């Protein structure tokens, strides 16, 4: 995608398929004359005109609303025309094709994915974090995610980042002025309390980083894989967490031959739960392929739920499975079927509920997928591993690249603080770390952004947005 193309662009802006309303969007510089000719009348800015959509041969293709938004006061910052008609794929396609034919003289072409929002960014209608929030709002899978995406789109996240940037810039101005006039012999770090001011900025950045991590969890969720021997209740647990029968459950070992993926929400956090084939040695070709896929899925997991039968907690095959699990991935040992134990099952199922400090990676949780015992404890542990604090709501969404940029900025501030301990002897290094921290923050809002990154971000948008 060219970051600087000014060709007029057009696309169907509504989702594919049949619907009551379909929208075609056009954006480009100086579209007024072309839009008036297309619609057969002069269009008043930001006024809905009800009119027929005529083919170039005179036939009426559809009828609906035409709205013209002159730039720069439009979504893209350019002139924008929206045609709102009926949502049938055939009629929308016919109107689109006619617009392309009648726009050939002005270079009208089909928009690429995300190109409307990319133009809004390039024309300073949105910063990069706000532009990404447009896609996040469209893709939000929960009410909490939608609210936070809207807050990001409104500029809440950008305002936090800009405030941090401004404080760093102020400190940079002081230190670089001192470097420009070394003859003044001012002890910069002491006179301007640079170290203390730096500590304050770092503390503020830590607060933004914590919120950003929460926002990233709310947006991206957690990839959870159910692993274990056949017939330990993986599919039953998936069904219990999902609240519906999404996986087949039978007493026959090896029923699950391929992965089953279900997204669920806990406190608004999306969890991508993957049920896998039971892990065992087998001569069945199809089952063996399923087991190979299970191990591949386990390697990609962010959290592994190792399910075992509570009646056989010391099975040697489970010990072999544990040895093969990837190092560094949190593993919850889940003893299922506690309802089949004789006596004390309620006590066993609740074990760990009060032990909030138990390390998640080595924790044992006892549940019954059939009765639901222990599932609340399991849900709470999954949220804790995800880094989510129950009962809170992130004020805005964040992406992994945002968190990485904040972490990079924090690292540069810490290095600057280390240089500050050497007094003014390394003031140039102090200034350089401040500059790098500032650039890391500016990557979030797009003030310093490569064309390659822009292409990657906007290519993930839907066409028409």
């Amino acid at each position: 995608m060219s970051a600087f193309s000014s060709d007029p662009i057009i696309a169907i802006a509504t989702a594919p398929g049949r619907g009551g309303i379909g929208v075609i969007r056009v954006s480009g510089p100086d579209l007024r004359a072309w839009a008036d000719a297309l619609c057969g009348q002069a269009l008043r800015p930001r006024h809905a005109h009800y009119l027929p959509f005529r083919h170039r041969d005179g036939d009426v293709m559809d009828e609906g609303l035409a709205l013209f938004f002159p730039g720069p006061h439009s979504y893209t910052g350019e002139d924008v025309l929206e045609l709102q008609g009926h949502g049938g794929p055939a009629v929308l396609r016919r109107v689109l094709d006619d617009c392309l034919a009648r726009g050939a003289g002005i270079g009208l072409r089909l928009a690429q994915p995300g190109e409307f929002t990319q133009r809004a960014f390039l024309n300073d209608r949105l910063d990069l974090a706000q532009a990404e929030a447009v896609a996040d709002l469209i893709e939000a899978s929960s009410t909490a995610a939608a609210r936070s995406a809207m807050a990001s789109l409104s500029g809440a996240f950008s305002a936090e980042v800009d405030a941090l940037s401004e404080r760093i810039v102020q400190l940079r101005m002081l230190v670089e002025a001192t470097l420009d006039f070394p003859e003044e012999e001012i002890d910069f770090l002491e006179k301007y309390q640079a170290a203390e001011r730096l500590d304050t900025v770092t503390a503020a950045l830590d607060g933004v980083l914590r919120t950003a991590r929460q926002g990233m969890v709310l947006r991206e969720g957690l990839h959870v894989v159910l692993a274990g021997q056949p017939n330990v209740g993986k599919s039953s647990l998936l069904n219990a967490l999902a609240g519906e029968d999404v996986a087949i459950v039978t007493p026959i070992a090896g029923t699950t031959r391929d992965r089953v993926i279900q997204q669920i929400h806990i406190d608004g956090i999306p969890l991508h739960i993957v049920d896998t084939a039971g892990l065992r040695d087998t001569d069945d070709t199809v089952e063996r392929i399923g087991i190979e896929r299970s191990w591949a899925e386990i390697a990609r997991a962010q959290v592994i739920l190792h399910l075992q039968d509570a009646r056989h907690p010391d099975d040697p095959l489970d010990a072999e499975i544990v040895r093969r699990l990837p190092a560094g991935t949190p593993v919850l040992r889940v003893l299922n079927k506690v309802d089949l134990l004789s006596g004390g099952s309620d006590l066993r199922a609740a074990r760990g509920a009060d032990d909030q400090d138990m390390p998640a990676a080595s924790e044992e949780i006892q549940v019954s997928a059939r009765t639901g015992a222990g599932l609340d404890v399991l849900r709470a542990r999954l949220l804790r591993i995800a880094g989510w604090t129950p009962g809170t709501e992130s004020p805005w969404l964040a992406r992994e690249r945002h968190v990485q940029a904040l972490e990079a900025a924090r690292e540069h501030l810490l290095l600057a603080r280390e240089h500050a301990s050497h007094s003014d002897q390394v003031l140039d290094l102090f200034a350089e770390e401040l500059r790098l921290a500032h650039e890391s923050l500016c990557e979030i809002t797009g003030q310093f952004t490569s064309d390659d990154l822009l292409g990657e971000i906007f290519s993930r948008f839907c066409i028409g947005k």
Side-chain angles (χ1 to χ4, degrees), residues 59 239 391 394:
D59 289 345
N239 291 342
S394 176

Side-chain angles (χ1 to χ4, degrees), residues 267-443:
D267 272 12
I269 304 303
L271 269 66
H272 311 284
I273 311 291
V274 184
D275 182 19
T276 59
L279 305 175
R280 65 172 178 177
D281 293 328
T282 179
D283 295 327
D284 186 302
T285 302
V286 176
E287 187 179 359
R288 189 164 60 248
I289 293 172
I291 292 171
E292 290 173 357
R293 291 182 178 181
S294 295
W295 282 112
E297 200 66 46
I298 288 170
R300 293 192 292 268
Q302 291 177 290
V303 180
I304 299 169
L305 300 187
H306 178 204
L307 265 70
Q308 298 177 238
D309 191 323
R311 297 168 297 177
H312 312 289
D314 300 316
D315 191 303
L317 181 54
D318 283 315
E320 178 61 28
I321 290 173
V322 170
R323 281 193 289 271
R324 289 192 59 182
L325 295 178
T329 303
V331 178
L332 295 183
R333 184 186 186 211
V334 180
L335 298 183
N336 188 27
K337 305 185 180 181
V338 294
D339 55 300
L340 301 180
L341 295 173
S342 57
S345 61
D346 290 341
L347 176 63
R348 290 171 60 83
R351 179 171 171 259
D354 297 325
D355 188 2
Q356 299 297 326
D357 297 323
M358 184 182 292
S362 61
E363 186 175 346
E364 175 187 297
I365 298 176
Q366 302 184 13
V367 304
S368 169
R370 185 176 69 85
T371 68
L375 292 187
D376 286 343
V377 175
L378 177 59
R379 293 186 182 100
R381 293 301 189 265
L382 288 172
L383 288 181
R384 191 181 68 185
I385 293 174
W388 183 256
T389 303
T392 65
E393 184 170 310
S394 176
W396 26 261
L397 287 191
R399 298 184 172 208
E400 183 177 0
R401 79 167 194 91
H402 301 153
V403 171
Q404 290 175 348
L406 288 168
E407 289 174 341
R410 184 179 190 277
E411 183 63 26
H412 289 304
L413 292 183
L414 292 177
L415 289 173
R417 185 67 176 85
E418 182 178 338
H419 293 317
S421 65
H422 299 290
S423 189
D424 286 357
Q425 299 173 10
V426 288
L427 207 54
D428 53 341
L429 297 179
F430 182 87
E432 176 64 8
E433 294 301 338
L434 290 181
R435 184 187 68 81
L436 293 173
H438 181 222
E439 287 193 359
S440 294
L441 292 178
C442 288
E443 289 177 2

